[in-house]
Amino acid sequence: MSAKCQKADIRWRLAHAVAHCATNATQIYNEELLMRAAAHLLAVLIVAAADCAVAQEKHLIDPTPPGSLKPEPLPPLQNPDAPSTPAKELFARKSTPFPGPPRSIGGYFDGCLAGAVSLPITGPNWQVMRLSRNRNWGNPQLVRFIERFAENAKKVGWNGLLVGDMSQPRGGPMLSEHRSHQIGLDVDIWFTPMPDHVQSREEREFGSATEVVAPDQLDVDPEVWTHTHAELIRTAAQDPVVTRILVNAAIKKALCREAGADRAWLFKVRPWYGHAEHFHVQIACPAGIAECKSQPPPLPSDGCGQELDFWFKDSTLHPPPTKPKPALTLAGMPPACKQIVKAP
Ligand SMILES: [Zn+2]
């Protein structure tokens, strides 16, 4: 996820508004100034469109594909020290955490993790899925949050959490799916409730996640969606460490409808592409950790009503294919991440 498209959308609207003003002002201001302003606006619009296009591509990605019961280790890299080596190739080859105190370093989209701890694969109220990915690592604060959330979710009638991706042992970018999840402060939770038995490795690897969005993507699927799903998301949003939750826009629409009078938590739940079979929870940087780069909080409005219109436009629901962004390299990450990923 990111706030990027929301920002892009805001930039887009802003640019539209300014462009409109600029057109009205033709008689007043000299032409050259207007031309320059128009060129700048065009650049802003192109950046906004490009940001959204990248994000739209994510909509097509299934974040819960099955893995393997016997995952093969990745082959060694030919030239791991080349500056052009994608950082994801380096971080994906680390199967153990960097020792020492917990440190979430850099931003959710360009950072890494030291002193990670793993979430036990089976807890009283949760089970980790897709074990072959080895992505059940996080800052200890994230692990504490999941334990607490699982217990609170039980109180609102959710049988237990199926936990998807957290972070890799040393955080950083991943070979598949995510751009965030890099500093041990993000977790994906499935919309499928935990079964009553402890699942085998096979079940965790090959079981499929339930989509709660209708095929036309305009609303939740009434056959699958229950009020307990809404209660589950509300419970996560009301935890004080949670800063942002990403769900499909159809789910946000349902939450807006079902929230009732207590709507103070809704601002944390933001619409995003995909997220029809899991939701993404982001927690805040631990207090007093200067090297952890916070994201600006979501806008304080509940995000319901007209704010959702963008997400149900045909061009948003069915975006054209776009080129992927160039891969992140170590040069684009905090210097400490190099030391962390290069250590044995
Ligand atoms: Zn996620």
Side-chain angles (χ1 to χ4, degrees):
M1 113 63 196
S2 87
K4 235 182 175 170
C5 198
Q6 282 163 356
K7 275 193 217 153
D9 187 38
I10 290 162
R11 282 210 299 266
W12 179 275
R13 287 188 216 172
L14 194 69
H16 258 292
V18 180
H20 185 69
C21 291
T23 314
N24 288 346
T26 345
Q27 295 93 352
I28 305 165
Y29 295 104
N30 92 38
E31 264 183 27
E32 196 198 324
L33 275 177
L34 265 177
M35 289 298 280
R36 268 195 237 158
H40 177 72
L41 283 168
L42 191 64
V44 169
L45 290 173
I46 289 168
V47 170
D51 278 2
C52 269
V54 168
Q56 281 158 352
E57 201 181 26
K58 290 168 77 72
H59 178 57
L60 308 171
I61 297 171
D62 172 12
T64 58
S68 159
L69 290 178
K70 285 187 190 147
E72 294 284 324
L74 292 164
L77 291 170
Q78 296 289 334
N79 196 355
D81 295 326
S84 60
T85 302
K88 61 185 177 183
E89 296 287 351
L90 302 169
F91 281 96
R93 282 168 171 77
K94 291 295 175 189
S95 54
T96 55
F98 184 84
R103 293 167 65 196
S104 291
I105 304 161
Y108 295 80
F109 296 90
D110 51 10
C112 60
L113 177 64
V117 292
S118 63
L119 178 73
I121 63 165
T122 304
N125 301 310
W126 74 83
Q127 294 183 30
V128 176
M129 302 299 284
R130 304 297 189 247
L131 301 176
S132 68
R133 295 174 164 224
N134 193 27
R135 292 181 182 170
N136 55 321
W137 297 85
N139 188 297
Q141 299 262 356
L142 183 68
V143 171
R144 296 291 96 75
F145 159 71
I146 296 168
E147 291 165 352
R148 187 168 64 239
F149 172 37
E151 203 179 318
N152 289 335
K154 190 97 183 171
K155 292 177 196 158
V156 298
W158 192 256
N159 196 43
L161 305 179
L162 293 186
V163 180
D165 285 350
M166 295 163 61
S167 284
Q168 300 176 120
R170 298 188 196 189
M174 299 175 178
L175 286 177
S176 58
E177 287 101 38
H178 305 285
R179 280 184 55 234
S180 56
H181 289 253
Q182 295 198 21
I183 54 176
L185 301 174
D186 301 282
V187 58
D188 289 341
I189 305 291
W190 288 22
F191 282 123
T192 316
M194 189 180 89
D196 283 325
H197 66 281
V198 176
Q199 296 177 98
S200 66
R201 282 191 87 88
E202 283 87 343
E203 285 174 288
R204 295 176 196 237
E205 206 60 56
F206 303 115
S208 54
T210 317
E211 289 228 1
V212 295
V213 172
D216 65 7
Q217 302 181 64
L218 299 177
D219 212 320
V220 289
D221 183 345
E223 300 287 311
V224 186
W225 177 259
T226 64
H227 190 65
T228 316
H229 286 94
E231 288 293 289
L232 175 72
I233 299 168
R234 181 183 60 76
T235 303
Q238 286 178 330
D239 192 293
V241 302
V242 170
T243 51
R244 183 181 264 103
I245 294 176
L246 300 180
V247 295
N248 188 279
I251 297 170
K252 173 76 187 195
K253 192 197 236 181
L255 295 175
C256 289
R257 193 168 54 220
E258 294 178 26
D262 173 16
R263 307 178 77 80
W265 55 277
L266 268 176
F267 82 99
K268 290 186 187 178
V269 186
R270 308 313 294 195
W272 198 246
Y273 301 92
H275 295 84
E277 71 303 286
H278 78 281
F279 58 106
H280 172 113
V281 185
Q282 182 189 82
I283 70 165
C285 281
I289 309 289
E291 60 190 347
C292 183
K293 216 166 80 193
S294 314
Q295 262 199 286
L299 297 171
S301 73
D302 67 7
C304 299
Q306 282 186 342
E307 283 186 54
L308 281 174
D309 291 351
F310 166 82
W311 294 96
F312 296 104
K313 285 183 187 166
D314 201 52
S315 54
T316 313
L317 293 173
H318 307 287
T322 52
K323 271 198 220 161
K325 272 191 176 180
L328 181 67
T329 63
L330 287 180
M333 304 179 73
C337 293
K338 186 172 178 177
Q339 183 209 348
I340 284 164
V341 78
K342 296 279 180 182

